[in-house]
Amino acid sequence: GLNEHRRLWGWSLSLMAPPLVTLVLALPVFSEVGPAADPLFLLLITVATAAVGGLRPALASALWSAVLLTVLLSPLHGRPSVSLDNFLSMTAFILVGGLVAVMVEMAARRSSQALRARAEADAVALLAASVLSGNEPLQALLRRIRETFGQRSATLLERLDDGRWYPVHSVGAPACEAPEEADALVAVSDTVALALRGRVLPAADRGVMEAFATHVGIAMEHQRLAWDAAEARGQVAGNRI
């Protein structure tokens, strides 16, 4: 959706722009402007607020504009405060502002989802390539996972025979020493889990985290095979001696 910066600007517009426009329209230099132009200027402010800040600031701007039109501008032009025209103007403010705001928020949400999906796909592809090539150790993989999800730490926990958990690899601090301490947890194998600490992940990130856990499992298997091969070479060398 919309970021906090845009929402802040939207609220600023919704609260400050309608009274400023009302004061400008009340100046003597604009005395020749007909009463039919007042709702158009205020509607323009509502649409701009919707485009910048989304639905809630747009609705606030619509209601604020309707109050100013009814209380200040209509009496200024010799029209009754309560009239069918003002009611229709208020309805137009709310409907048009709400429609524009909904369209803006939908577009922002889709854009954000597309950017996030692309970034996650790039991260998974890069991670898969590094794991399959065997060029990146577990510590580097955990560091990459921690940075991708914006966590304080990423830890591989292994369950011992007595049921206790032991951190075998960790990046960042504070590291998790048990699954209960994790903000996000996913199983790598029957006895190993990937634990992240820092913030709770949204549901949309669970699938990516599970894909990362699969790659970590592959990296652990590569590491185990490398250790077995090194041990076998050491035994062969010892036998030759």
Side-chain angles (χ1 to χ4, degrees):
L2 300 177
N3 56 45
E4 292 299 323
H5 184 70
R6 286 188 61 176
R7 294 191 186 278
L8 179 61
W9 274 105
W11 281 111
S12 299
L13 277 175
S14 70
L15 297 177
M16 299 175 60
L20 288 176
V21 171
T22 300
L23 290 176
V24 170
L25 292 175
L27 294 175
V29 69
F30 290 98
S31 59
E32 298 298 325
V33 178
D38 297 340
L40 296 179
F41 283 111
L42 292 174
L43 179 60
L44 178 63
I45 295 300
T46 300
V47 171
T49 302
V52 172
L55 183 59
R56 293 183 180 180
L59 294 179
S61 177
L63 294 176
W64 191 206
S65 298
V67 170
L68 293 172
L69 179 65
T70 300
V71 175
L72 295 178
L73 292 178
S74 290
L76 184 66
H77 290 99
R79 302 172 62 187
S81 297
V82 180
S83 65
L84 179 61
D85 289 343
N86 287 345
F87 175 77
L88 293 176
S89 297
M90 181 181 66
T91 303
F93 292 158
I94 295 174
L95 291 179
V96 174
L99 179 61
V100 172
V102 169
M103 294 177 64
V104 167
E105 292 204 353
M106 288 178 61
R109 188 176 297 111
R110 289 177 180 174
S111 177
S112 177
Q113 290 173 349
L115 290 174
R116 185 173 187 83
R118 180 177 179 181
E120 290 172 349
D122 291 343
V124 171
L126 184 61
L127 184 60
S130 65
V131 170
L132 294 176
S133 63
N135 294 329
E136 195 164 15
L138 273 174
Q139 292 293 110
L141 292 178
L142 291 177
R143 188 178 301 110
R144 188 186 299 277
I145 292 171
R146 181 177 68 89
E147 293 172 353
T148 298
F149 292 106
Q151 301 289 334
R152 287 184 294 169
S153 67
T155 306
L156 278 178
L157 296 172
E158 185 176 7
R159 187 174 58 206
L160 305 178
D161 293 338
D162 58 4
R164 293 184 297 111
W165 291 87
Y166 178 76
V168 291
H169 294 281
S170 182
V171 170
C176 295
E177 297 185 358
E180 295 77 14
E181 299 178 1
D183 293 310
L185 185 73
V186 65
V188 176
S189 66
D190 293 338
T191 58
V192 179
L194 173 61
L196 303 183
R197 188 180 229 180
R199 66 181 181 91
V200 178
L201 291 181
D205 289 342
R206 291 291 302 179
V208 180
M209 184 178 174
E210 290 173 357
F212 279 11
T214 300
H215 294 313
V216 170
I218 296 173
M220 292 181 67
E221 183 64 19
H222 283 182
Q223 187 180 74
R224 185 186 65 80
L225 292 175
W227 287 346
D228 291 344
E231 184 179 358
R233 286 194 298 269
Q235 290 177 352
V236 170
N239 292 335
R240 289 177 179 176
I241 294 175

